[in-house]
Amino acid sequence: MKFSLDDLRQQPDGTAVWDGVRNYQARNFLRDSMQPGHLAFFYHSNCKQPGIVGISRIVSRGYPDPTQFEPGRAHFDAASQPSNPRWFAVDVKFELELPRPLPLAELRELHLAHKQSGGPLRNLALCTCPRLSVQPVSDEEWRFLTQLAGVPEKD
Protein backbone atom coordinates (compact mmCIF):
# COMPACT_ATOMS: atom_id res chain seq x y z
CA MET A 1 0.00 0.00 0.00
CA LYS A 2 1.23 3.45 -0.82
CA PHE A 3 0.60 6.24 1.66
CA SER A 4 2.70 9.35 1.27
CA LEU A 5 3.49 12.28 3.51
CA ASP A 6 1.19 14.36 1.30
CA ASP A 7 -1.59 11.80 1.87
CA LEU A 8 -1.13 12.24 5.63
CA ARG A 9 -1.08 16.03 5.34
CA GLN A 10 -4.38 15.94 3.41
CA GLN A 11 -6.25 13.82 5.97
CA PRO A 12 -8.78 15.55 8.25
CA ASP A 13 -6.69 17.30 10.92
CA GLY A 14 -3.63 15.79 9.20
CA THR A 15 -4.27 12.59 11.17
CA ALA A 16 -4.52 8.98 10.00
CA VAL A 17 -4.33 5.43 11.30
CA TRP A 18 -0.99 3.69 10.86
CA ASP A 19 -2.40 0.25 10.18
CA GLY A 20 -1.45 -2.83 8.19
CA VAL A 21 1.80 -3.54 10.04
CA ARG A 22 2.27 -7.31 9.87
CA ASN A 23 5.64 -7.97 11.49
CA TYR A 24 5.75 -9.04 15.13
CA GLN A 25 8.73 -6.91 16.11
CA ALA A 26 7.22 -3.83 14.44
CA ARG A 27 3.87 -4.64 16.08
CA ASN A 28 5.57 -4.69 19.48
CA PHE A 29 6.99 -1.20 18.91
CA LEU A 30 3.51 0.08 17.95
CA ARG A 31 1.82 -1.64 20.87
CA ASP A 32 4.39 -1.21 23.62
CA SER A 33 6.73 1.68 22.85
CA MET A 34 4.97 4.40 20.89
CA GLN A 35 3.16 6.90 23.08
CA PRO A 36 1.10 10.03 22.37
CA GLY A 37 3.43 12.96 21.83
CA HIS A 38 6.33 10.91 20.46
CA LEU A 39 7.71 12.10 17.15
CA ALA A 40 8.42 9.71 14.28
CA PHE A 41 10.19 10.02 10.98
CA PHE A 42 7.98 9.50 7.93
CA TYR A 43 9.73 7.29 5.41
CA HIS A 44 8.82 6.87 1.74
CA SER A 45 9.60 3.35 0.58
CA ASN A 46 7.47 2.74 -2.52
CA CYS A 47 9.19 5.26 -4.77
CA LYS A 48 12.25 5.77 -6.99
CA GLN A 49 14.33 7.33 -4.20
CA PRO A 50 13.32 5.94 -0.79
CA GLY A 51 14.17 7.96 2.26
CA ILE A 52 13.03 10.02 5.22
CA VAL A 53 10.80 12.85 4.02
CA GLY A 54 8.97 14.17 7.06
CA ILE A 55 8.02 14.01 10.71
CA SER A 56 4.77 12.85 12.22
CA ARG A 57 3.50 12.89 15.81
CA ILE A 58 2.03 9.84 17.51
CA VAL A 59 -1.42 10.88 18.80
CA SER A 60 -2.74 7.63 20.28
CA ARG A 61 -1.57 4.64 22.21
CA GLY A 62 -1.39 1.37 20.32
CA TYR A 63 -4.79 -0.26 19.78
CA PRO A 64 -6.00 -3.32 17.87
CA ASP A 65 -5.66 -2.73 14.12
CA PRO A 66 -9.26 -2.89 12.84
CA THR A 67 -8.20 -4.11 9.39
CA GLN A 68 -7.21 -7.51 10.81
CA PHE A 69 -10.90 -8.26 11.50
CA GLU A 70 -12.29 -7.14 8.11
CA PRO A 71 -12.64 -10.01 5.59
CA GLY A 72 -11.78 -8.89 2.10
CA ARG A 73 -9.30 -6.26 3.28
CA ALA A 74 -5.65 -6.61 2.31
CA HIS A 75 -4.59 -6.92 5.96
CA PHE A 76 -7.32 -9.34 7.13
CA ASP A 77 -6.03 -12.05 9.48
CA ALA A 78 -8.48 -14.91 10.01
CA ALA A 79 -6.45 -16.20 12.96
CA SER A 80 -6.71 -12.95 14.90
CA GLN A 81 -9.64 -12.58 17.29
CA PRO A 82 -11.07 -9.39 18.85
CA SER A 83 -10.61 -10.96 22.30
CA ASN A 84 -6.93 -11.60 21.53
CA PRO A 85 -5.82 -9.27 18.73
CA ARG A 86 -2.60 -10.07 16.95
CA TRP A 87 -1.94 -6.71 15.24
CA PHE A 88 -1.87 -3.12 16.50
CA ALA A 89 -2.06 0.37 15.04
CA VAL A 90 -1.47 3.93 16.22
CA ASP A 91 -2.82 7.25 15.00
CA VAL A 92 -0.28 9.67 13.55
CA LYS A 93 -0.51 13.37 12.74
CA PHE A 94 1.43 15.32 10.14
CA GLU A 95 4.06 17.58 11.75
CA LEU A 96 6.33 18.78 8.98
CA GLU A 97 7.98 18.03 5.68
CA LEU A 98 11.75 17.92 5.97
CA PRO A 99 13.46 20.94 4.40
CA ARG A 100 15.82 18.40 2.81
CA PRO A 101 14.75 14.77 2.36
CA LEU A 102 17.27 12.16 3.52
CA PRO A 103 17.68 9.52 0.79
CA LEU A 104 18.30 5.95 1.88
CA ALA A 105 21.52 5.81 -0.18
CA GLU A 106 22.95 8.75 1.78
CA LEU A 107 21.84 7.24 5.09
CA ARG A 108 23.56 3.96 4.22
CA GLU A 109 26.80 5.78 3.37
CA LEU A 110 26.66 7.71 6.64
CA HIS A 111 25.87 4.54 8.59
CA LEU A 112 28.93 2.78 7.17
CA ALA A 113 31.17 5.77 7.88
CA HIS A 114 29.77 6.09 11.40
CA LYS A 115 30.30 2.37 12.09
CA GLN A 116 34.00 3.03 11.51
CA SER A 117 34.20 6.35 13.36
CA GLY A 118 31.72 5.71 16.17
CA GLY A 119 29.42 8.46 14.83
CA PRO A 120 25.76 8.89 15.74
CA LEU A 121 24.38 6.67 12.95
CA ARG A 122 26.61 3.68 13.77
CA ASN A 123 23.59 1.62 14.96
CA LEU A 124 20.85 3.13 12.80
CA ALA A 125 18.11 0.48 12.63
CA LEU A 126 17.12 1.57 9.14
CA CYS A 127 20.47 0.17 7.98
CA THR A 128 20.79 -2.76 10.37
CA CYS A 129 17.15 -4.04 10.10
CA PRO A 130 16.08 -2.60 6.74
CA ARG A 131 12.95 -4.73 6.28
CA LEU A 132 11.37 -3.56 9.54
CA SER A 133 8.70 -0.90 8.94
CA VAL A 134 8.64 0.42 12.52
CA GLN A 135 12.01 1.09 14.13
CA PRO A 136 13.34 2.88 17.19
CA VAL A 137 15.55 5.93 16.73
CA SER A 138 17.87 7.03 19.54
CA ASP A 139 17.95 10.65 20.72
CA GLU A 140 21.46 10.95 19.29
CA GLU A 141 20.28 9.65 15.88
CA TRP A 142 17.23 11.94 15.97
CA ARG A 143 19.31 15.06 16.66
CA PHE A 144 21.82 14.19 13.93
CA LEU A 145 19.17 13.38 11.30
CA THR A 146 16.98 16.41 11.97
CA GLN A 147 20.04 18.67 11.84
CA LEU A 148 21.19 16.99 8.60
CA ALA A 149 17.72 17.56 7.13
CA GLY A 150 17.75 21.24 8.10
CA VAL A 151 14.97 21.08 10.68
CA PRO A 152 15.19 24.20 12.88
CA GLU A 153 15.94 23.46 16.53
CA LYS A 154 13.16 24.23 18.99
CA ASP A 155 13.96 26.19 22.12
Side-chain angles (χ1 to χ4, degrees):
M1 293 238 169
K2 290 185 178 184
F3 190 82
S4 71
L5 186 65
D6 285 334
D7 292 331
L8 179 60
R9 184 186 349 232
Q10 294 170 12
Q11 296 298 306
D13 297 324
T15 303
V17 178
W18 186 355
D19 60 11
V21 174
R22 296 298 183 265
N23 171 285
Y24 287 105
Q25 188 177 7
R27 182 261 338 248
N28 293 347
F29 289 134
L30 289 173
R31 183 189 65 198
D32 304 332
S33 300
M34 291 185 155
Q35 300 295 321
H38 284 175
L39 295 175
F41 285 121
F42 197 103
Y43 183 84
H44 279 177
S45 57
N46 292 321
C47 57
K48 288 183 180 180
Q49 188 176 50
I52 300 170
V53 297
I55 296 176
S56 60
R57 182 174 299 276
I58 307 303
V59 295
S60 75
R61 291 185 174 277
Y63 59 89
D65 181 341
T67 64
Q68 69 191 309
F69 307 121
E70 300 171 1
R73 294 284 302 262
H75 300 295
F76 174 66
D77 183 345
S80 187
Q81 299 300 315
S83 61
N84 188 21
R86 186 177 287 182
W87 307 112
F88 282 73
V90 295
D91 295 339
V92 296
K93 182 176 179 67
F94 174 84
E95 276 291 310
L96 64 91
E97 184 172 346
L98 295 182
R100 181 177 88 80
L102 302 175
L104 178 58
E106 178 182 358
L107 296 173
R108 284 181 177 152
E109 287 177 15
L110 287 167
H111 166 70
L112 290 174
H114 288 198
K115 277 177 65 173
Q116 298 296 321
S117 68
L121 301 186
R122 65 192 172 278
N123 297 317
L124 185 65
L126 181 61
C127 297
T128 60
C129 303
R131 299 293 302 156
L132 195 58
S133 62
V134 181
Q135 304 170 344
V137 175
S138 72
D139 290 341
E140 180 183 36
E141 292 166 341
W142 183 271
R143 283 190 301 274
F144 182 87
L145 292 169
T146 54
Q147 183 179 26
L148 184 64
V151 176
E153 290 187 41
K154 292 188 178 185
D155 296 326

